[in-house]
Amino acid sequence: MRFYTESARKFTFLASSLFFWGFFHLAGPACACGPIVYEFKGYSFLSPSLINLEGTLSLWMLESNPLFSKYQRTASEDKKQANLKEWQDRHCGQVTLEDLEQVIYRASPTELKSLDMAVRSESIPLPNEYRQNTFATFMEDEKCTETIEYLLYAKKCEPYLTGNQNAWSKQKPDVEAMNTLLQEGRKAFRSCHSHYLKRRYTYQILRLAHYSKQYDLVIELYETLIPKIDQQLPSILDGWMLSLKAGALRHSGNRVEAAYLFSKIFSDYPSIRTEAFRSFYLKNEEEWKQCMLRCGSNHERATLHVIRANAQYSKRVREMIAIYDLYPEHPDLPVLLVQDLLELEKDLLGTTFNSQRKTNATHFGIPRKKAQEKVIELHQFVGHVLQDGKIQDLSIWRIADGYLSLLAGDLYSAGQTFARILTQLDDENDRKQINTLQLVMQILQLDAIGPETEALAYRLRLQNPIFKSNGDFNALLSDKLAHLYYQSGNPGKAFRVQYDTEKLQYNPRLEVLNELLAISEKATKTAYERLLLQDKTGKDITSYLWYLKGIYFIGRYQLEAAAEAFKKIPATERPTYGLFDPFQFRYSECINCGIPESEKKYDLLELTETLLALEYEAKADPEKAAPNYFQLGLALYNISYFGYAWGAADAYRSGKNWLPKEGSIYPSWQAPEGNFEVKDCSKPLYYFELSRRIADYTDRELAARAAFMAARCRQKQYFSSSAFMYKPESKKIPAMPKTFTYYYDLLNQKYQDTDTYQRIFRECLYFQAYSIR
Amino acid sequence: MLVAKNMEGCCLFQTTIPDNFRDFVFGKKPNFRKNRTVPTQMKPMNIIRLCIALLAWSGCHSIPSTPVVPSFSFYHWKANFSPTTLELDNIQKLGVSRLYVRYFDVDKETSSAPVTPLSLLTFQVLPPETIELVPVIFITNRALIDFPENQIINLAEKIWSLILEIHPVDTLPQEIQLDCDWSGRSREAFFQLIKQMKSFGCRVSSTIRLHQIQTADVPPADAGTLMFYNMGEVRDSATKNSILSIEEARPYLPALRSYPLKLDLALPIFSWGVLFRDGKMIKLIHQLEAPELLKDSLTRTNDRINFFVTRNSLLRGHFLYAGDHIRLEATQNEVLLQSARELGRYFGGSEPTITFYHLDSLNLERHTYEILHRVGSEVYFPGQ
């Protein structure tokens, strides 16, 4: 290559790393060991910037979506933060939130008493830990005795108002003590001058009545005390107190009024929105109608539908239609729209080629049964909104119009819509969203594999900023390409475009290896093809592919084919794939008790050629037949799943795969096509039997060893058969059926007089147990 | 004992010879000879004894023995104990002396959350003095999945202590029942829990699901109650009746003959509506009846089993949408009697307590005292 300069090589290396880093770092079950945790895998291309989340009621609906997770927060945090903020505002921002939290939430009753004394006294200083506290010093400086009195009172109420701390005890509220506190609070309410604190006393009093289950008293106190508080300054406590009243009404059976109040709280008080949503309850249609009548405006009525829309399994579009009819500019409509789009995206985007579509269907029920109907229903509504023109800002609806066409599979119409609205949108974020969806469409439109498609994939991944801005493009493109490759009969490329070379080791398939090796033998390769043959570090994988092909054959006892594959690995590289000596006979079995490193003699080619030579000699020289067949059997047994030299026939072996499995391919979270284990013992058994029969006339010790190894093969065949009824959690090994015990019986009947038998009997406890039964 | 080890460990099977290796390998055969008496030559003294026995038998056999009466009970599965007159009336007429009362559930909200009691029972009235209360604790499978073994004692103590807190009478419960649809990952914890609960000195029984009688996993309880209901696939919209179907149950029944635990029997008298939306089961609405569904044309139906919602609405606090499908499931008396007849073939002679699930006036209006009594007779006296 004339123009292939050093800098170009560096660029290619870097580019390949980036290219495949993208492809291979797809979301997968994130666990190392233990049960497989399934995750939904799909693609999402909607940007949170499409909607103004802060002003809406349905914010938490989107929290489960990773794109919107930055808005996550818990209800209790909201409540606490809102309370502290109000205290801070009350003190004109002169106190810090941390200091307020220390006094209000963390101070013990004793500490508060010390603070009280310091605030009241001229001589007693603040306790040490509060001397730097801005709130404590403020109270001391301003002699806020009413405030500290209130804080002491609230602290006294606290044990009665935090619910049952011990769930395992059916504690009843101490009504008497709570009533005493309630009276104390009412007294303080009367004597207190600050309306700010009067409101807080009222809140504590209402809570005491609520937690002592005196619901009528809650309503009565609310009606009596609230009018006595100056309503000029709104407070978050207004919503909290209203929710106590609503709760009391619900307990008293007035569900309609209670539900109406909860809907108001849901709408007006963000800090307890979630609680209000959970507490909203109407029993039947009649109550729903009454509640609608109770509402004073269409906005309030629409809010009832927002609550319904947020219920689990709601039919969101129906509620959106109702909300739109009542109050088209309701700020929650766009949120509900996006929520529906996100679900339809999961249902319909790339479902035909998503590599995890089976898992998605099995574990998550995605796509939903009626997704097609849902997309049509939503699209009709969006069309209606766009035609109606009742909403001032229609940009989100226009984007939805195009995206719904795309999700419904009408790419032509989607393309037309995107092109049209791109000229109508002013907002940069909206335009970026359209560009994103246009790129999605471009990938979906790929319908055949060829140099152009491969070049496009290369360019997108390396050069397109929109592609780089959303990680799901990687997944979408690799899944789409893999699908097309499979369709066009390119399993090697399909595998590589989805997975790293490291994934090949678990279950190397011949067609995958052959295709990749064929590419490697091409005289001229495209840049894309060169990348296919490089691992994450940029290293060429051709030798690795020959290694995998070789062990593929050796694991299936096709020694000549294995030797041919190993020959392709440069001699200097061969030892890097391991040195083995599977010819050692052992009485006891131990998978990981290998021989010392220094004793390992054969690389894979040497081993294969030695095995072939042994077989040739066995056939050519009758005197060598028995020992050679024994050595052959021994080597093949030891390179199987059950032997210490398993690495000669398998690149990856998992200890947990010892239970039977048809086809010997085991599921594994890290192996996309399963993990193949070399469990077929028929060939070693064949050689042992040959050896035994011949040795019966020449060397009875060898015959006994061959019989013993044959017994071992039959035992493993039993463990790998459907007859093996072992229960995974049991410590009991089921008794071996008679059909598998032939060689055990043969040993006992025919070879008892050999030294080998005596040794076997001593060292193999399984055999010993069997024999003395 | 042979111990299976991970293949990546030292060896495939670490072999030590078990004490009962032979039994373990080949299975233990019952020794039929053991109890067989060896015939001996009849001696004069024996002839005299035989005559006395015959005389005694001929003299006694005309005295009527106490007739066997089916033993009935109910499950009480509500949050408040305040039985209605009809419920008390049925308790009395069926001669119920023991009532299985759900005291609380044991569950956890998330996999990392602590196991806690939920829906604690409140006794608004005391049960009749003649009635023995058997506290029933429903434990969700997820509460016990991978539950730490060293925490079982603690859990058992908490359960016992809460039972005593709720128990409205001074005497300790004679029996408690643990109800858990255990799985492979919770079985060990559940079985350990049963063992621990026994240490409090009362009898511990366990509910047994139909599918569990075919497995070798028998809970170490003093007795079991076979839950002869919830046998169909409730989530499948094509299922006709998931509560009771003798066809579904029949393949399991032969296993009853060899089930090693003494079994009582629980039979369903409840009803529910299964709400499907877009083909997906989303809710069970308990004690639902056809008139409520047909009121104001809320639904339409051709068979009074499958109801289709005609407009967006609200039912028992559940939002409904036009097109929703509600399958009404109830146990028909005829099916209940047929099931009893079938069960009589396996339970006849063993005199099980027949516990109806569950005590509620609506259920008792549909299944009258006479029907319930006939159910008992069918189980106790099959073929009569």
Side-chain angles (χ1 to χ4, degrees), chain A residues 20 23-24 26 355-356 486 494-504 672-673:
Chain A
F20 285 102
F23 274 144
F24 305 135
L26 306 177
S355 60
Q356 297 297 312
Y486 280 122
F495 190 94
R496 278 293 287 124
V497 85
Q498 281 189 299
Y499 309 112
D500 183 16
T501 49
E502 177 255 344
K503 299 285 182 199
L504 281 166
E673 295 186 343

PDB file of all heavy atoms in Angstrom, chain A residues 20 23-24 26 355-356 486 494-504 672-673:
ATOM      1  N   PHE A  20     -14.473  -0.608  17.752  1.00  0.00           N
ATOM      2  CA  PHE A  20     -14.946  -1.836  18.393  1.00  0.00           C
ATOM      3  C   PHE A  20     -15.189  -1.668  19.878  1.00  0.00           C
ATOM      4  O   PHE A  20     -15.969  -2.383  20.457  1.00  0.00           O
ATOM      5  CB  PHE A  20     -13.988  -2.991  18.101  1.00  0.00           C
ATOM      6  CG  PHE A  20     -14.159  -3.473  16.698  1.00  0.00           C
ATOM      7  CD1 PHE A  20     -13.276  -3.137  15.706  1.00  0.00           C
ATOM      8  CD2 PHE A  20     -15.273  -4.215  16.359  1.00  0.00           C
ATOM      9  CE1 PHE A  20     -13.467  -3.542  14.404  1.00  0.00           C
ATOM     10  CE2 PHE A  20     -15.471  -4.634  15.059  1.00  0.00           C
ATOM     11  CZ  PHE A  20     -14.574  -4.297  14.078  1.00  0.00           C
ATOM     12  N   PHE A  23     -18.735  -0.962  19.764  1.00  0.00           N
ATOM     13  CA  PHE A  23     -19.562  -2.135  19.490  1.00  0.00           C
ATOM     14  C   PHE A  23     -19.596  -3.126  20.650  1.00  0.00           C
ATOM     15  O   PHE A  23     -20.602  -3.735  20.946  1.00  0.00           O
ATOM     16  CB  PHE A  23     -19.048  -2.857  18.261  1.00  0.00           C
ATOM     17  CG  PHE A  23     -19.614  -2.299  16.977  1.00  0.00           C
ATOM     18  CD1 PHE A  23     -18.843  -2.234  15.838  1.00  0.00           C
ATOM     19  CD2 PHE A  23     -20.915  -1.843  16.914  1.00  0.00           C
ATOM     20  CE1 PHE A  23     -19.353  -1.730  14.652  1.00  0.00           C
ATOM     21  CE2 PHE A  23     -21.439  -1.336  15.739  1.00  0.00           C
ATOM     22  CZ  PHE A  23     -20.651  -1.271  14.608  1.00  0.00           C
ATOM     23  N   PHE A  24     -18.447  -3.293  21.291  1.00  0.00           N
ATOM     24  CA  PHE A  24     -18.359  -4.390  22.242  1.00  0.00           C
ATOM     25  C   PHE A  24     -18.766  -4.019  23.653  1.00  0.00           C
ATOM     26  O   PHE A  24     -18.857  -4.862  24.518  1.00  0.00           O
ATOM     27  CB  PHE A  24     -16.947  -4.966  22.256  1.00  0.00           C
ATOM     28  CG  PHE A  24     -16.521  -5.383  20.871  1.00  0.00           C
ATOM     29  CD1 PHE A  24     -15.279  -5.067  20.386  1.00  0.00           C
ATOM     30  CD2 PHE A  24     -17.412  -6.063  20.066  1.00  0.00           C
ATOM     31  CE1 PHE A  24     -14.916  -5.439  19.112  1.00  0.00           C
ATOM     32  CE2 PHE A  24     -17.049  -6.442  18.794  1.00  0.00           C
ATOM     33  CZ  PHE A  24     -15.798  -6.123  18.302  1.00  0.00           C
ATOM     34  N   LEU A  26     -21.529  -3.108  24.878  1.00  0.00           N
ATOM     35  CA  LEU A  26     -22.980  -3.020  24.958  1.00  0.00           C
ATOM     36  C   LEU A  26     -23.415  -3.398  26.352  1.00  0.00           C
ATOM     37  O   LEU A  26     -22.732  -4.114  27.061  1.00  0.00           O
ATOM     38  CB  LEU A  26     -23.610  -3.996  23.956  1.00  0.00           C
ATOM     39  CG  LEU A  26     -23.115  -3.818  22.527  1.00  0.00           C
ATOM     40  CD1 LEU A  26     -23.740  -4.857  21.637  1.00  0.00           C
ATOM     41  CD2 LEU A  26     -23.447  -2.430  22.043  1.00  0.00           C
ATOM     42  N   SER A 355     -30.810  -7.902  19.582  1.00  0.00           N
ATOM     43  CA  SER A 355     -30.156  -9.173  19.927  1.00  0.00           C
ATOM     44  C   SER A 355     -30.716  -9.778  21.218  1.00  0.00           C
ATOM     45  O   SER A 355     -30.529 -10.954  21.476  1.00  0.00           O
ATOM     46  CB  SER A 355     -28.646  -8.963  20.065  1.00  0.00           C
ATOM     47  OG  SER A 355     -28.389  -8.013  21.079  1.00  0.00           O
ATOM     48  N   GLN A 356     -31.369  -8.981  22.017  1.00  0.00           N
ATOM     49  CA  GLN A 356     -31.934  -9.494  23.275  1.00  0.00           C
ATOM     50  C   GLN A 356     -33.457  -9.606  23.195  1.00  0.00           C
ATOM     51  O   GLN A 356     -34.133  -9.547  24.222  1.00  0.00           O
ATOM     52  CB  GLN A 356     -31.558  -8.561  24.432  1.00  0.00           C
ATOM     53  CG  GLN A 356     -30.074  -8.461  24.697  1.00  0.00           C
ATOM     54  CD  GLN A 356     -29.474  -9.782  25.127  1.00  0.00           C
ATOM     55  OE1 GLN A 356     -30.007 -10.453  26.002  1.00  0.00           O
ATOM     56  NE2 GLN A 356     -28.389 -10.178  24.516  1.00  0.00           N
ATOM     57  N   TYR A 486     -26.333 -11.931   9.327  1.00  0.00           N
ATOM     58  CA  TYR A 486     -26.914 -13.283   9.455  1.00  0.00           C
ATOM     59  C   TYR A 486     -27.783 -13.595   8.246  1.00  0.00           C
ATOM     60  O   TYR A 486     -27.747 -14.691   7.705  1.00  0.00           O
ATOM     61  CB  TYR A 486     -27.730 -13.406  10.746  1.00  0.00           C
ATOM     62  CG  TYR A 486     -26.871 -13.648  11.967  1.00  0.00           C
ATOM     63  CD1 TYR A 486     -26.901 -12.782  13.057  1.00  0.00           C
ATOM     64  CD2 TYR A 486     -26.039 -14.765  12.050  1.00  0.00           C
ATOM     65  CE1 TYR A 486     -26.111 -13.001  14.179  1.00  0.00           C
ATOM     66  CE2 TYR A 486     -25.244 -14.990  13.165  1.00  0.00           C
ATOM     67  CZ  TYR A 486     -25.282 -14.105  14.228  1.00  0.00           C
ATOM     68  OH  TYR A 486     -24.495 -14.327  15.321  1.00  0.00           O
ATOM     69  N   ALA A 494     -21.178 -11.151  11.497  1.00  0.00           N
ATOM     70  CA  ALA A 494     -22.293 -10.891  12.424  1.00  0.00           C
ATOM     71  C   ALA A 494     -21.800 -11.010  13.862  1.00  0.00           C
ATOM     72  O   ALA A 494     -22.130 -10.176  14.719  1.00  0.00           O
ATOM     73  CB  ALA A 494     -23.429 -11.872  12.170  1.00  0.00           C
ATOM     74  N   PHE A 495     -21.025 -12.048  14.115  1.00  0.00           N
ATOM     75  CA  PHE A 495     -20.530 -12.250  15.475  1.00  0.00           C
ATOM     76  C   PHE A 495     -19.593 -11.111  15.877  1.00  0.00           C
ATOM     77  O   PHE A 495     -19.721 -10.530  16.946  1.00  0.00           O
ATOM     78  CB  PHE A 495     -19.793 -13.592  15.563  1.00  0.00           C
ATOM     79  CG  PHE A 495     -19.470 -13.998  16.975  1.00  0.00           C
ATOM     80  CD1 PHE A 495     -20.333 -14.830  17.686  1.00  0.00           C
ATOM     81  CD2 PHE A 495     -18.322 -13.540  17.608  1.00  0.00           C
ATOM     82  CE1 PHE A 495     -20.051 -15.185  18.994  1.00  0.00           C
ATOM     83  CE2 PHE A 495     -18.039 -13.888  18.915  1.00  0.00           C
ATOM     84  CZ  PHE A 495     -18.908 -14.718  19.613  1.00  0.00           C
ATOM     85  N   ARG A 496     -18.667 -10.784  14.984  1.00  0.00           N
ATOM     86  CA  ARG A 496     -17.664  -9.776  15.334  1.00  0.00           C
ATOM     87  C   ARG A 496     -18.247  -8.386  15.515  1.00  0.00           C
ATOM     88  O   ARG A 496     -17.780  -7.605  16.330  1.00  0.00           O
ATOM     89  CB  ARG A 496     -16.579  -9.741  14.253  1.00  0.00           C
ATOM     90  CG  ARG A 496     -15.540 -10.798  14.391  1.00  0.00           C
ATOM     91  CD  ARG A 496     -14.673 -10.600  15.648  1.00  0.00           C
ATOM     92  NE  ARG A 496     -13.751  -9.485  15.497  1.00  0.00           N
ATOM     93  CZ  ARG A 496     -13.690  -8.454  16.324  1.00  0.00           C
ATOM     94  NH1 ARG A 496     -14.501  -8.395  17.360  1.00  0.00           N
ATOM     95  NH2 ARG A 496     -12.826  -7.490  16.139  1.00  0.00           N
ATOM     96  N   VAL A 497     -19.279  -8.092  14.734  1.00  0.00           N
ATOM     97  CA  VAL A 497     -19.845  -6.749  14.841  1.00  0.00           C
ATOM     98  C   VAL A 497     -20.587  -6.594  16.172  1.00  0.00           C
ATOM     99  O   VAL A 497     -20.740  -5.482  16.684  1.00  0.00           O
ATOM    100  CB  VAL A 497     -20.744  -6.455  13.615  1.00  0.00           C
ATOM    101  CG1 VAL A 497     -22.143  -6.972  13.800  1.00  0.00           C
ATOM    102  CG2 VAL A 497     -20.756  -4.979  13.317  1.00  0.00           C
ATOM    103  N   GLN A 498     -20.981  -7.712  16.748  1.00  0.00           N
ATOM    104  CA  GLN A 498     -21.681  -7.629  18.027  1.00  0.00           C
ATOM    105  C   GLN A 498     -20.784  -7.861  19.231  1.00  0.00           C
ATOM    106  O   GLN A 498     -21.041  -7.323  20.297  1.00  0.00           O
ATOM    107  CB  GLN A 498     -22.815  -8.673  18.063  1.00  0.00           C
ATOM    108  CG  GLN A 498     -24.048  -8.238  17.316  1.00  0.00           C
ATOM    109  CD  GLN A 498     -25.188  -9.185  17.560  1.00  0.00           C
ATOM    110  OE1 GLN A 498     -25.096 -10.362  17.244  1.00  0.00           O
ATOM    111  NE2 GLN A 498     -26.251  -8.687  18.140  1.00  0.00           N
ATOM    112  N   TYR A 499     -19.782  -8.698  19.054  1.00  0.00           N
ATOM    113  CA  TYR A 499     -19.007  -9.106  20.223  1.00  0.00           C
ATOM    114  C   TYR A 499     -17.501  -8.954  20.012  1.00  0.00           C
ATOM    115  O   TYR A 499     -16.996  -9.041  18.894  1.00  0.00           O
ATOM    116  CB  TYR A 499     -19.294 -10.571  20.579  1.00  0.00           C
ATOM    117  CG  TYR A 499     -20.750 -10.876  20.691  1.00  0.00           C
ATOM    118  CD1 TYR A 499     -21.380 -11.703  19.769  1.00  0.00           C
ATOM    119  CD2 TYR A 499     -21.525 -10.317  21.706  1.00  0.00           C
ATOM    120  CE1 TYR A 499     -22.735 -11.978  19.858  1.00  0.00           C
ATOM    121  CE2 TYR A 499     -22.880 -10.578  21.792  1.00  0.00           C
ATOM    122  CZ  TYR A 499     -23.481 -11.411  20.863  1.00  0.00           C
ATOM    123  OH  TYR A 499     -24.812 -11.663  20.952  1.00  0.00           O
ATOM    124  N   ASP A 500     -16.833  -8.846  21.120  1.00  0.00           N
ATOM    125  CA  ASP A 500     -15.382  -8.790  21.139  1.00  0.00           C
ATOM    126  C   ASP A 500     -14.822 -10.182  20.810  1.00  0.00           C
ATOM    127  O   ASP A 500     -15.508 -11.191  20.972  1.00  0.00           O
ATOM    128  CB  ASP A 500     -14.951  -8.359  22.556  1.00  0.00           C
ATOM    129  CG  ASP A 500     -13.458  -8.197  22.663  1.00  0.00           C
ATOM    130  OD1 ASP A 500     -12.813  -8.124  21.614  1.00  0.00           O
ATOM    131  OD2 ASP A 500     -12.956  -8.142  23.791  1.00  0.00           O
ATOM    132  N   THR A 501     -13.574 -10.224  20.383  1.00  0.00           N
ATOM    133  CA  THR A 501     -12.948 -11.513  20.054  1.00  0.00           C
ATOM    134  C   THR A 501     -12.923 -12.455  21.258  1.00  0.00           C
ATOM    135  O   THR A 501     -12.974 -13.662  21.112  1.00  0.00           O
ATOM    136  CB  THR A 501     -11.493 -11.298  19.594  1.00  0.00           C
ATOM    137  OG1 THR A 501     -10.857 -10.444  20.540  1.00  0.00           O
ATOM    138  CG2 THR A 501     -11.445 -10.660  18.237  1.00  0.00           C
ATOM    139  N   GLU A 502     -12.872 -11.862  22.436  1.00  0.00           N
ATOM    140  CA  GLU A 502     -12.812 -12.662  23.673  1.00  0.00           C
ATOM    141  C   GLU A 502     -14.041 -13.571  23.806  1.00  0.00           C
ATOM    142  O   GLU A 502     -13.971 -14.659  24.363  1.00  0.00           O
ATOM    143  CB  GLU A 502     -12.709 -11.683  24.852  1.00  0.00           C
ATOM    144  CG  GLU A 502     -12.702 -12.284  26.218  1.00  0.00           C
ATOM    145  CD  GLU A 502     -14.024 -12.088  26.920  1.00  0.00           C
ATOM    146  OE1 GLU A 502     -14.845 -11.251  26.488  1.00  0.00           O
ATOM    147  OE2 GLU A 502     -14.260 -12.810  27.897  1.00  0.00           O
ATOM    148  N   LYS A 503     -15.170 -13.156  23.215  1.00  0.00           N
ATOM    149  CA  LYS A 503     -16.410 -13.942  23.308  1.00  0.00           C
ATOM    150  C   LYS A 503     -16.356 -15.201  22.441  1.00  0.00           C
ATOM    151  O   LYS A 503     -17.191 -16.091  22.594  1.00  0.00           O
ATOM    152  CB  LYS A 503     -17.610 -13.094  22.879  1.00  0.00           C
ATOM    153  CG  LYS A 503     -17.844 -11.852  23.719  1.00  0.00           C
ATOM    154  CD  LYS A 503     -18.439 -12.185  25.053  1.00  0.00           C
ATOM    155  CE  LYS A 503     -18.726 -10.947  25.871  1.00  0.00           C
ATOM    156  NZ  LYS A 503     -18.888 -11.226  27.299  1.00  0.00           N
ATOM    157  N   LEU A 504     -15.384 -15.239  21.527  1.00  0.00           N
ATOM    158  CA  LEU A 504     -15.287 -16.405  20.646  1.00  0.00           C
ATOM    159  C   LEU A 504     -14.902 -17.666  21.413  1.00  0.00           C
ATOM    160  O   LEU A 504     -15.208 -18.774  21.015  1.00  0.00           O
ATOM    161  CB  LEU A 504     -14.229 -16.150  19.566  1.00  0.00           C
ATOM    162  CG  LEU A 504     -14.642 -15.274  18.374  1.00  0.00           C
ATOM    163  CD1 LEU A 504     -13.405 -14.841  17.614  1.00  0.00           C
ATOM    164  CD2 LEU A 504     -15.564 -16.054  17.447  1.00  0.00           C
ATOM    165  N   PRO A 672     -22.337 -15.191  24.804  1.00  0.00           N
ATOM    166  CA  PRO A 672     -23.585 -14.913  24.076  1.00  0.00           C
ATOM    167  C   PRO A 672     -24.160 -16.139  23.386  1.00  0.00           C
ATOM    168  O   PRO A 672     -25.372 -16.229  23.206  1.00  0.00           O
ATOM    169  CB  PRO A 672     -23.174 -13.851  23.053  1.00  0.00           C
ATOM    170  CG  PRO A 672     -21.688 -13.895  22.973  1.00  0.00           C
ATOM    171  CD  PRO A 672     -21.207 -14.393  24.294  1.00  0.00           C
ATOM    172  N   GLU A 673     -23.299 -17.064  22.990  1.00  0.00           N
ATOM    173  CA  GLU A 673     -23.816 -18.260  22.325  1.00  0.00           C
ATOM    174  C   GLU A 673     -23.600 -19.494  23.187  1.00  0.00           C
ATOM    175  O   GLU A 673     -23.503 -20.610  22.699  1.00  0.00           O
ATOM    176  CB  GLU A 673     -23.146 -18.404  20.953  1.00  0.00           C
ATOM    177  CG  GLU A 673     -23.520 -17.255  20.034  1.00  0.00           C
ATOM    178  CD  GLU A 673     -23.002 -17.415  18.620  1.00  0.00           C
ATOM    179  OE1 GLU A 673     -22.093 -18.229  18.411  1.00  0.00           O
ATOM    180  OE2 GLU A 673     -23.503 -16.716  17.738  1.00  0.00           O
TER     181      GLU A 673
END
